[in-house]
């Protein structure tokens, strides 16, 4: 059975994936191909890439699954919330809700767009409840037979958070917290207040938080109640005379791109702290209700690596799996497996060992791109060794190899690499390469074998999605990947999974005694991570990188 799964809501992060008999073959976010960050359009580029990779035509598909229910379910939730006073009845809110419903209903949730672009299909068309798709994406790819599954995001059709019990390849629903009682909403509204883009820049708030101090009271906006959090959504939505309730209580909103004073840093600290408290409480409830010590997380809020790290370090779980594309792009991964549950069936419980699920380009294709731009490049006999030598000499390297990662993190295939020992390297990469804010931290990629030497709560962390304290004696050794609070967001690299990247880090370790490198995504600020050789070349020459290692080729400035 050939199944296509896609995410499309006109909100953010459209994507598609394809599976054969429950085996995931390929997945890609629309933004990587369209070059529109968080692209919310119908994922026709991503779907076409799926079909091309699998060498299939639309007529070969047996089932097409959309990771949202029918448009009416979302719109009817809005209507109920309007009537209950949970969602303010304003001209703009009603207009936006009505427009979204009219557009999605006209497109039949995206299925009509599919047939317009790809032609008629014999495939069965299925809507999938949003949080069910999230839950499947976390549970099935964890490989855990028994697990508590927690989904936390901005919103589904009617859901804000949900708890599920995964057992023997099946998922049982335990609890749903309805929208708009939403941790994602809480974090997004404060992200906007702090001068960033909501549903996009939340990790900027997370990165800024350690620079703040406790003391800001946010209990009007979020509180704990009967083991569950309670978000005051009407207050978060409220705007009077152009001013939000947050601004009336905490002071004027920060102007985007302006300086960040201590008051904003302290608010970021309070927002992150409140989110961590709420997430930990919800996880504890999930573990209690499922009587399990294995935890699976999905939903955009599950990308909060700082909170994930605290959950892991708390000792309340034995194993934790956070789906690497936890936000809405990863919904496709769950939707594509829904047919496996038909007629009493079970999900395929194959642990996800890596996220290298996207397009790949051969040396011949790379050489063609280099020739198009008339670039001088040298062919490398040993890309890992050559790159390690350049890194040890302080060079900043663009690294383009293999299949592109699925999810928001570059994991050694579409990465910018540098030396973590240089205390100035963080500023160099932020200022001259990424052109982004000074407080944004960089993550370390390290050999899995040495993780316990550098981290206090070392565990398998292949997806940069768990923050971990760096051992005090190592903080001065890898200062450029140690955040101001002494933490890091590591990627542990296994030789069996990514031999080329493992060899690069190992070679760097041989030269420096430190088998750890800086790894940040291969993109400029505001842009999607590079996908094609052309994307990589353009980004390389638009930044302060010193060299580009692209396939077997080296390009230097």
């Amino acid at each position: 059975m050939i199944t296509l799964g896609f995410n499309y809501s006109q909100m953010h992060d459209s994507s598609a994936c394809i599976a054969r008999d429950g085996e995931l073959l390929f997945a890609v976010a629309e933004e990587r191909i369209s070059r529109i960050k968080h692209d919310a359009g119908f994922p026709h580029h991503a779907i076409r890439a799926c079909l091309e990779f699998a060498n299939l035509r639309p007529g070969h598909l047996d089932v097409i699954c959309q990771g949202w229910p029918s448009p009416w379910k979302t719109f009817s939730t809005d209507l109920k919330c309007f009537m209950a006073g949970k969602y303010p009845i304003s001209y703009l809110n009603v207009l936006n809700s009505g427009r979204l419903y009219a557009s999605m209903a006209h497109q039949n949730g995206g299925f009509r767009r599919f047939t317009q672009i790809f032609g008629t299909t014999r495939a069965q068309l299925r809507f999938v409840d949003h949080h069910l798709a999230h839950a499947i994406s976390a549970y099935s790819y964890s490989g855990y037979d028994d697990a508590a599954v927690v989904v936390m995001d901005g919103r589904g059709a009617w859901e804000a958070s949900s708890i599920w019990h995964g057992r023997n390849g099946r998922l049982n629903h335990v609890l749903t917290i309805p929208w708009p009682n939403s941790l994602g909403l809480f974090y997004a509204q404060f992200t906007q207040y702090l001068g960033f883009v909501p549903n996009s820049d939340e990790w900027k708030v997370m990165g800024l938080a350690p620079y703040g101090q406790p003391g800001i009271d946010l209990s009007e906006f979020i509180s704990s109640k009967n083991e569950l959090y309670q978000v005051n959504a009407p207050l978060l939505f409220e705007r009077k005379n152009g001013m939000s309730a947050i601004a009336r209580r905490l002071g004027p909103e920060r102007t985007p791109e302006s300086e960040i004073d201590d008051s904003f840093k302290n608010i970021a600290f309070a927002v992150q702290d409140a989110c961590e408290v709420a997430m930990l409480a919800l996880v504890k409830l999930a573990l209690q209700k499922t009587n399990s010590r294995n935890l699976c997380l999905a939903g955009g809020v599950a990308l909060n690596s700082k909170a994930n790290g605290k959950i892991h370090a708390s000792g309340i779980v034995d194993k934790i799996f956070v789906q690497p594309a936890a936000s809405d792009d990863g919904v496709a991964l769950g939707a594509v497996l829904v047919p496996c549950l038909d007629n009493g069936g079970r999900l395929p419980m194959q642990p996800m060992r890596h996220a290298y699920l996207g397009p790949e380009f051969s040396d011949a294709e790379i050489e063609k791109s280099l020739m198009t731009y008339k670039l001088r490049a040298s062919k490398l006999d040993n890309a890992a060794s050559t790159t390690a030598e350049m890194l040890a000499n302080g060079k900043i390297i663009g690294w383009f190899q293999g299949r592109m990662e699925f999810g928001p993190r570059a994991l050694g295939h579409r990465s910018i690499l540098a030396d973590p020992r240089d205390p100035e390297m963080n500023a160099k990469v932020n200022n001259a390469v990424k052109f982004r804010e000074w407080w944004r931290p960089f993550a370390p990629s390290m050999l899995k074998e040495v993780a316990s030497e550098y981290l206090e709560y070392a565990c398998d962390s292949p997806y940069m999605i768990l923050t971990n304290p760096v051992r005090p004696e190592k903080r001065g050794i890898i200062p450029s990947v140690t955040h101001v609070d002494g933490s890091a967001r590591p990627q542990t690299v296994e030789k069996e999974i990514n031999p080329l990247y493992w060899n690069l880090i190992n070679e760097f370790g041989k030269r420096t005694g430190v088998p750890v490198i800086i790894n940040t995504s291969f993109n400029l600020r505001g842009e999607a991570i590079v996908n094609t050789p052309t994307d990589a070349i353009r980004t390389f020459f638009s930044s302060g990188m010193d060299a580009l290692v692209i396939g077997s080729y080296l390009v230097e400035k």
Side-chain angles (χ1 to χ4, degrees):
M1 179 170 63
I2 306 296
T3 310
L4 177 79
F6 70 92
N7 174 68
Y8 174 53
S9 64
Q10 294 192 37
M11 289 186 254
H12 55 89
D13 296 321
S14 297
S15 64
C17 68
I18 196 163
R20 177 184 285 114
D21 297 329
E23 178 188 359
L24 184 63
L25 302 177
F26 182 93
V28 66
E30 184 72 4
E31 68 163 20
R32 302 296 176 85
I33 306 174
S34 71
R35 313 307 302 153
I36 302 170
K37 196 164 186 179
H38 298 296
D39 194 335
F42 182 75
H44 61 282
H45 294 299
I47 291 171
R48 183 170 286 110
C50 288
L51 294 171
E52 289 176 354
F53 178 87
N55 195 26
L56 297 171
R57 296 188 301 275
H60 292 133
L61 297 172
D62 296 301
V63 188
I64 303 174
C65 297
Q66 144 74 310
W68 283 82
S70 65
W72 171 250
K73 289 192 176 181
T74 303
F75 185 56
S76 63
T77 297
D78 287 354
L79 295 178
K80 291 174 184 176
C81 290
F82 285 141
M83 299 307 295
K86 296 178 181 179
Y87 190 18
I89 301 178
S90 68
Y91 172 77
L92 193 59
N93 287 345
V94 173
L95 179 65
N96 287 340
S97 181
R99 279 180 170 175
L100 179 61
Y101 169 66
S103 176
M104 291 299 290
H106 177 70
Q107 299 178 53
N108 190 27
F111 290 124
R112 186 170 287 116
R113 287 282 290 138
F114 180 93
T115 55
Q116 287 172 345
I117 295 170
F118 298 100
T120 57
T121 175
R122 65 177 179 83
Q124 180 188 11
L125 309 179
R126 295 177 62 166
F127 292 106
V128 179
D129 286 347
H130 189 64
H131 272 221
L132 173 61
H134 267 311
I136 292 173
S137 79
Y139 173 58
S140 183
Y141 298 103
S142 73
Y144 305 156
D145 177 68
D146 184 274
V149 183
V150 181
V151 178
M152 300 167 283
D153 64 3
R155 75 171 291 181
W158 63 88
E159 317 100 327
S161 297
S162 58
I163 295 173
W164 307 73
H165 187 191
R167 186 171 175 80
N168 297 325
R170 306 279 303 176
L171 270 171
N172 293 314
H173 176 253
V174 176
L175 173 72
T176 289
I177 299 174
W179 188 83
N181 184 12
S182 164
L183 286 176
L185 170 66
F186 163 76
Y187 215 102
Q189 295 297 95
F190 274 94
T191 297
Q192 183 171 21
Y193 169 80
L194 290 168
F196 307 122
V197 180
N199 300 312
S200 174
D201 290 345
E202 278 73 8
W203 26 56
K204 294 185 181 182
V205 178
M206 185 173 64
L208 181 63
Y211 292 92
Q213 299 293 326
I216 301 294
D217 182 9
L218 298 182
S219 58
E220 279 189 278
F221 301 99
I222 187 170
S223 60
S224 297
K225 180 180 179 182
N226 299 329
E227 299 181 303
L228 293 174
Y229 69 84
Q230 182 65 47
V231 169
N232 189 344
L235 191 63
L236 287 168
F237 282 128
E238 184 182 296
R239 293 193 77 87
K240 293 182 179 178
N241 300 319
M243 181 178 287
S244 70
I246 301 174
R248 288 198 300 275
R249 286 158 173 77
L250 299 178
E253 297 179 359
R254 172 178 168 264
T255 302
E257 306 301 327
S258 66
E259 289 297 315
I260 299 179
D261 61 30
D262 288 343
S263 66
F264 292 124
K265 296 174 187 176
N266 295 341
I267 291 168
F269 180 96
V271 170
Q272 176 63 25
D273 183 67
C275 185
E276 289 173 8
V277 169
M279 288 177 68
L280 189 60
L282 191 58
V283 165
K284 285 179 177 178
L285 181 64
L287 298 174
Q288 173 192 329
K289 286 188 172 294
T290 60
N291 195 31
S292 179
R293 288 183 58 85
N294 298 327
L295 176 66
C296 303
L297 299 178
V301 177
L303 289 173
N304 193 308
S305 58
K306 179 71 73 174
N308 295 341
K310 290 194 173 182
I311 291 169
H312 173 254
S314 69
I316 63 175
V317 298
D318 293 334
K319 297 178 182 178
I320 181 170
F321 174 76
V322 185
Q323 203 268 95
S327 193
D328 274 9
D329 50 353
V331 164
L333 300 185
V336 81
L337 296 182
V338 164
C340 297
L341 293 171
D342 291 348
N343 303 314
R346 300 183 187 279
L347 295 167
M349 299 304 296
Q350 293 297 320
M352 181 182 281
R353 302 288 305 280
H354 63 79
Y356 308 120
L357 299 167
E360 181 175 17
F361 299 87
S362 67
D363 272 353
E365 291 172 301
I366 290 169
E367 184 179 12
K368 183 178 179 181
S369 295
L370 294 171
M371 292 176 63
T372 297
Y373 291 98
K374 297 180 172 59
L375 297 177
R376 183 175 300 172
S378 55
K379 190 81 177 284
L380 300 177
D381 294 325
N382 190 326
S385 179
T386 301
T387 304
E389 186 68 27
M390 289 190 291
L391 291 172
N393 290 326
K395 302 294 186 182
I396 301 172
I397 310 297
W399 178 255
F400 182 101
Q401 305 291 333
R403 294 183 66 179
M404 184 174 63
E405 304 90 339
F406 185 59
R409 308 295 184 214
L411 301 169
H413 281 194
R414 301 289 187 274
S415 295
I416 296 171
L417 310 178
D419 185 348
R421 302 170 302 152
D422 181 354
E424 301 300 320
M425 189 58 75
N426 187 297
K428 290 176 184 176
V429 179
N430 266 334
N431 294 334
V433 179
K434 299 283 281 189
F435 308 117
R436 66 181 197 177
E437 299 86 353
W438 59 267
W439 73 86
R440 302 278 298 279
F442 291 111
S445 290
M446 61 182 65
L447 303 184
K448 180 182 176 181
E449 296 89 332
V450 306
S452 61
E453 298 177 26
Y454 287 85
L455 306 172
E456 292 191 2
Y457 302 103
C459 65
D460 289 349
S461 184
Y463 304 122
M464 287 185 182
I465 212 162
L466 294 168
T467 298
N468 209 312
V470 178
R471 291 188 179 278
E473 67 273 18
K474 295 294 186 180
R475 294 174 187 177
I477 304 297
I478 51 171
S480 280
V481 291
T482 302
H483 204 20
V484 65
D485 60 355
S487 70
R489 180 168 47 83
Q491 176 195 9
T492 55
V493 181
E494 297 181 58
K495 187 175 184 178
E496 297 77 14
I497 301 300
N498 195 337
L500 177 62
Y501 195 42
W502 188 95
N503 284 329
L504 164 58
I505 301 169
N506 189 50
E507 289 292 330
F508 181 79
K510 288 178 182 179
R511 288 162 172 76
T512 64
V514 179
V516 182
I517 59 175
I518 291 177
N519 174 11
T520 188
S521 56
F522 198 156
N523 66 310
L524 305 182
R525 183 184 180 189
E527 295 186 357
I529 295 174
V530 300
N531 172 28
T532 66
T534 298
D535 298 336
I537 291 166
R538 183 191 63 80
T539 301
F540 171 63
F541 282 104
S542 300
S543 75
M545 281 180 272
D546 298 299
L548 170 64
V549 180
I550 179 167
S552 299
Y553 292 93
L554 169 64
V555 181
E556 297 182 272
K557 290 180 179 174

